[in-house]
Amino acid sequence: MTAAQGLLLRPITMGLLLQNLFLLLLLLLGSCLHPAAAFPKGCYPSEEEGLKTFRCSNAQLTEVPRDIPNDTNKLYLDFNQIPFLPRDAFRDLPLLLELDLSHNAIARIETGAFQGLAEHLHSLDLSSNRLVSVSKDAFSNLKAKVNLSNNPWLCDCRLQELIRAVELAADSSGGIVCDSSTQEEHVGKAFLQVIADTDFCNVYKKTTDIAMLVTMFGWFAMVISYLVYYVRQNQEDARRHLEYLKSLPSKQRRSEESSTISTVV
């Protein structure tokens, strides 16, 4: 290569180098402006049947992830170790249609946990968890079909109110079984079969009414007993005072008797 050719190639080489540096700078700038989403380990977005899906199945989660894309339509959190659902757990997911929380360790659901999902959510799976008793207020205004099967339910008035407040998913009602009950003979039976013959809330109301009557009777008896004691005590005091007056000289006794009569009157 001649010296002249070297001089001609040098500007070209510098130009290519500057171009590569410029492209690298653009890539770095783009990565800063549009950082990659930091999803929890084991979670990933996808698209199923035209719906934006976020899967965290069997990801060893112990709480509901916070970095879920807010345009998610289907959310799978099944087969994890989530123990409870706090208030506003899904408030940033206004477009959520399906929520799968099955096969977790959920034992408590705070009121307002599903707040913000009432308008769109149509499927909620809470099967195979550790739910024993849940207030109906936790599902307030929720229109989704709910699967509550395979949980260790306590069959009582609270569960009866919950079942009446939600729409159960098809073919899931038979899986709501009494693991324990206010009446021992119901243990092991399907709850809907039990409430066909037993109204837990009426039984509870009758029990409460009886307890109130017993309490009122107890207070009434205490008041009567006190009044009787008070009257007898006063009678005894008056008798002792009269005996004392009789033992005094007649003039002083008459004065004391007059004072006693005035006091009594």
Side-chain angles (χ1 to χ4, degrees):
M1 178 183 298
T2 65
Q5 289 176 327
L7 290 174
L8 290 173
L9 289 174
R10 186 176 297 175
I12 297 174
T13 304
M14 290 297 294
L16 291 173
L17 181 60
L18 289 173
Q19 184 180 3
N20 289 334
L21 287 173
F22 182 71
L23 290 173
L24 180 61
L25 180 63
L26 287 177
L27 288 173
L28 291 173
L29 183 61
S31 64
C32 292
L33 294 175
H34 303 284
F39 299 132
K41 183 179 179 181
C43 300
Y44 61 92
S46 63
E47 189 166 322
E48 298 178 6
E49 300 175 350
L51 297 175
K52 293 186 177 180
T53 302
F54 195 73
R55 285 191 175 272
C56 289
S57 302
N58 200 19
Q60 299 182 351
L61 299 176
T62 56
E63 63 180 3
V64 177
R66 299 179 181 178
D67 299 320
I68 303 172
N70 57 16
D71 59 350
T72 299
N73 303 129
K74 299 170 70 174
L75 176 59
Y76 292 89
L77 299 174
D78 51 318
F79 290 96
N80 285 291
Q81 293 97 43
I82 300 172
F84 81 103
L85 301 178
R87 182 180 178 85
D88 294 327
F90 307 98
R91 65 177 179 180
D92 296 325
L93 302 172
L95 303 180
L96 199 61
L97 301 174
E98 297 181 17
L99 175 57
D100 189 347
L101 290 159
S102 64
H103 297 89
N104 272 280
I106 301 171
R108 181 164 60 92
I109 301 176
E110 292 186 357
T111 300
F114 304 112
Q115 190 167 303
L117 301 181
E119 292 300 321
H120 297 93
L121 192 70
H122 64 70
S123 177
L124 172 60
D125 194 345
L126 286 164
S127 63
S128 300
N129 276 283
R130 298 177 185 174
L131 297 171
V132 175
S133 183
V134 180
S135 170
K136 65 178 181 179
D137 296 333
F139 298 86
S140 180
N141 300 321
L142 204 62
K143 301 174 183 177
K145 295 181 179 180
V146 185
N147 188 342
L148 298 171
S149 62
N150 299 321
N151 282 280
W153 290 109
L154 166 63
C155 290
D156 61 357
C157 180
R158 203 178 194 200
L159 179 58
Q160 182 172 314
E161 290 181 338
L162 171 61
I163 297 300
R164 289 175 176 173
V166 301
E167 182 180 356
L168 296 177
D171 302 322
S172 69
S173 59
I176 303 174
V177 177
C178 302
D179 187 72
S180 58
S181 176
T182 53
Q183 300 181 35
E184 191 65 27
E185 65 270 19
H186 298 149
V187 175
K189 295 182 180 179
F191 185 68
L192 292 189
Q193 174 188 347
V194 170
I195 60 174
D197 303 316
T198 305
D199 190 332
F200 284 95
C201 295
N202 273 348
V203 171
Y204 174 78
K205 185 176 183 302
K206 289 178 182 178
T207 303
T208 304
D209 291 344
I210 291 172
M212 289 181 63
L213 286 173
V214 170
T215 302
M216 291 175 63
F217 179 78
W219 278 105
F220 183 73
M222 289 176 62
V223 171
I224 295 299
S225 299
Y226 176 77
L227 289 175
V228 170
Y229 168 79
Y230 181 80
V231 171
R232 287 182 177 178
Q233 189 67 27
N234 283 349
Q235 286 178 343
E236 185 65 22
D237 290 343
R239 184 184 64 78
R240 284 199 299 267
H241 192 63
L242 288 173
E243 289 179 353
Y244 168 74
L245 291 176
K246 289 178 182 179
S247 66
L248 295 175
S250 59
K251 185 176 181 180
Q252 184 179 357
R253 184 170 65 246
R254 282 195 297 271
S255 176
E256 291 284 348
E257 286 176 348
S258 299
S259 177
T260 301
I261 292 170
S262 299
T263 301
V264 172
V265 173

